[in-house]
Each structure stands twice: as structure tokens, then as C-alpha cells.
Amino acid sequence: MAANSTSHSQAEAAPGILQIFRLDGRTAVVTGAGRGLGLSMAAALAQAGTQIAIFDVNLADAEEAASSIASKGGKAIAAKIDVTDAQQVQQGIKMAIDAFGGMDILVNNAGITSRSPFEDLEEEDWERVLKVNMGGTYQCSRQAARYWIDADKSGSIINIASISGFVGNRGGLNSHYCATKGGVVALTRSLAVEWAPHSIRVNAIAPGYFATPMTDRLKNINRAFYDELVGRVPLGRFGSPPDLAGAVIYLASDASIYVTGHVLVIDGGYTAW
Ligand code: NAD
């Protein structure tokens, strides 16, 4: 009888467990969400109940992304924000807070890359990629944290790193990009420790190869190499942007309340061998 009543109460509790993944009434800023992985993660967060502020240097894409989220019943606003510009980031965060009454989640997704043998890499390219991938993470994270610390609120930061932060990108000719992603991994761990006393959690997602405009370029440059990379993924395909949905909701929500400083690799097994 005792055993039966235990399993009965567990069965009753089961549907409630999914509530810890809900994000109703929370606000997320997602950078570089006009397209690609950022757009897909923003759409997933919106479906879980989050109000979304889309920051992108490409305003037309940002507005289209916001409309597509709104057309599915979500709440989203868009702004032309360059994440490397301190003033624009400040204005963007203020806009999100004013529009939605606060901010709870920051997804540092905006990122760029370029290709060059490292020995020929122009200083301008080195600086540009560092400025967006690491500099943008710096600008947005510190300004979000300043808001949370001053308001005595908790927050969740999700940095989009890459498996390129862990392994050499064979044939990628983008060691400068890999350096920035390694930097994002280190920053994730360090800020998690530094801001833990303020209840600000800092985690990262490290995607493997995903099918987006960023990797489509590779397909056009060298189709044979693209096919070889796909062949190296144990799950047999490049990721599709919605494959990150579960991870971003997990890290944004109370489901990961005791998780900070973690880097979640999502690569179809690419780095497992
Ligand atoms: P993408 O090029 O399709 O999208 C990037 C978005 O960021 C674009 O909308 C672009 O306009 C925006 N952006 C660029 N510079 C910006 C700036 N200074 N300020 C604001 N917005 C800016 O790229 P993606 O493939 O969707 O990649 C998104 C993130 O995921 C990047 O950080 C990338 O490094 C990372 N990533 C991608 C892959 C992949 O296979 N696609 C793998 C690992 C990591």
C-alpha cells in the first residue's frame, strides 16, 4: 500500500517537472538573432514563454526575425545593435528592459569568422573577429551584469562558443576564430565564478558544425571538404539549428538552477573520437 501510494504521488508529480523548463514572463536578449542559430534559439525561447529582444547589425533580418516570432504568438522586438559598440549595447539593453519590464537572460550569439592561413592573416581580420566574438561578449555581459547587480536580480548568460574552442579546426583556416572561441570558454568559467555571489549563472553552448549561412559558405568554397566534415560526424549529419533548442531552454531556465561555468558541447559526437 505504501509502495503504491509512493508511485501514485510520483506519477502525479511527473507533469509538474516540465514546469522548471518554462520561461513565462522572462525576457531574453539574443544577439545576432536576425538569422542562423541565434534566430532558432530566440524562437525556441519565445515558445517557452520568453519575451525576446533581438539585437543584430542587420536591421532588416532582425525585424523579419521578430515578425516571424510574433506570427507564432511570441513577443519580440528588434533593434539594430552592433555588439562591439558600448553605447549601442547600453541603449539596446535599456530598450529591452523598458519594453518588457526587466531582463533575465542574455544569449551572446553574434559571431563572425573569416578564412586565411594564419601566416598570412591580416591584422585587420584578426582584430575584427576578436572584436565581435570576444569584444561583443564582453560588452553585453558586463552591461547585463551591471543591471542585475544594481537591481539585485538573478540572471542567466549563455555564451555561444564552439567546438573550435577545444579542437583544431582542420582545414578551416580560421585559427583566429578558434582563439576567440577558446577565449569565450575561459570567460564563461571565470565569470561563472566571479558572478556566482550575485546569482548570475554563466554557461556556454559549444556547437559543432551546423547548417547555417556561416557553414554554407564553406560548402560553396570546397564541396569535397564539406562532405568530408559531414562524414566525420558520428551522427552522420551537420546539426540543424533547432537541435540547440533544448540546450538553450535548459540553460536559460530553472532546470539548470545549480549549473554554472558549464560548456555544453552539441556536435553529433564530432569531438567524442
Ligand atoms: P550567421 O552568420 O548565420 O549569423 C550571425 C548573425 O550575427 C548574423 O545575423 C549577423 O548579422 C550577426 N552579427 C554579426 N556581427 C554582429 C555584430 N557586431 N553585432 C550584432 N550582430 C552581429 O552565424 P551562425 O552560424 O548562426 O553562428 C551563430 C553563432 O554560433 C556564432 O557565434 C558562431 O561562431 C557560433 N557557431 C556556429 C557554428 C556553425 O556551424 N554555424 C558552429 C559553432 C559555433
Side-chain angles (χ1 to χ4, degrees):
M1 182 67 192
N4 277 348
S5 55
T6 304
S7 56
H8 179 66
S9 65
Q10 276 169 352
E12 273 180 352
I17 192 66
L18 292 179
Q19 289 306 313
I20 62 174
F21 291 90
R22 291 294 314 176
L23 291 160
D24 302 286
R26 298 198 199 169
T27 296
V29 167
V30 187
T31 72
R35 68 177 197 190
L37 302 183
L39 170 56
S40 188
M41 288 187 285
L45 288 166
Q47 228 184 310
T50 316
Q51 306 161 129
I52 308 286
I54 292 171
F55 291 4
D56 205 293
V57 276
N58 185 325
L59 182 60
D61 278 1
E63 284 176 337
E64 205 179 310
S67 302
S68 90
I69 289 172
S71 73
K72 294 179 185 102
K75 280 191 196 154
I77 55 173
K80 179 175 164 55
I81 307 284
D82 181 338
V83 293
T84 68
D85 185 311
Q87 214 178 343
Q88 288 186 28
V89 170
Q90 190 177 22
Q91 285 164 357
I93 288 180
K94 184 174 181 319
M95 178 199 76
I97 293 167
D98 290 348
F100 297 130
M103 172 184 168
D104 308 279
I105 299 149
L106 167 66
V107 183
N108 282 313
N109 165 77
I112 59 169
T113 189
S114 68
R115 275 170 67 84
S116 166
F118 200 69
E119 62 276 20
D120 298 327
L121 182 68
E122 298 290 344
E123 205 171 325
E124 193 186 314
D125 263 9
W126 165 259
E127 281 170 2
R128 195 168 56 89
V129 172
L130 246 78
K131 194 167 179 188
V132 175
N133 297 3
M134 291 205 65
T137 304
Y138 154 72
Q139 291 294 356
C140 297
S141 301
R142 75 189 178 103
Q143 296 203 36
R146 171 52 58 210
Y147 160 70
W148 287 321
I149 291 167
D150 288 351
D152 199 19
K153 289 183 70 164
S154 59
S156 173
I157 296 177
I158 301 160
N159 294 324
I160 306 307
S162 168
I163 55 167
S164 303
F166 297 110
V167 293
N169 198 341
R170 198 170 62 87
L173 294 178
N174 61 357
S175 291
H176 54 320
Y177 171 83
C178 300
T180 66
K181 294 301 182 178
V184 167
V185 168
L187 194 61
T188 298
R189 295 194 173 123
S190 191
L191 290 178
V193 174
E194 184 173 337
W195 287 337
H198 298 291
S199 300
I200 298 168
R201 295 187 299 112
V202 187
N203 292 292
I205 292 172
Y209 289 98
F210 273 69
T212 70
M214 194 182 251
T215 47
D216 277 351
R217 277 198 296 277
L218 175 65
K219 189 169 17 179
N220 298 330
I221 293 166
N222 188 342
R223 181 66 205 224
F225 181 58
Y226 178 90
D227 290 341
E228 187 195 324
L229 282 178
V230 174
R232 285 180 54 84
V233 182
L235 284 182
R237 63 175 176 86
F238 274 14
S240 151
D243 293 338
L244 297 183
V248 77
I249 288 168
Y250 169 67
L251 292 175
S253 69
D254 292 348
S256 61
I257 199 77
Y258 196 54
V259 179
T260 197
H262 186 71
V263 183
L264 184 47
V265 173
I266 301 180
D267 66 353
Y270 188 91
T271 53
W273 64 311

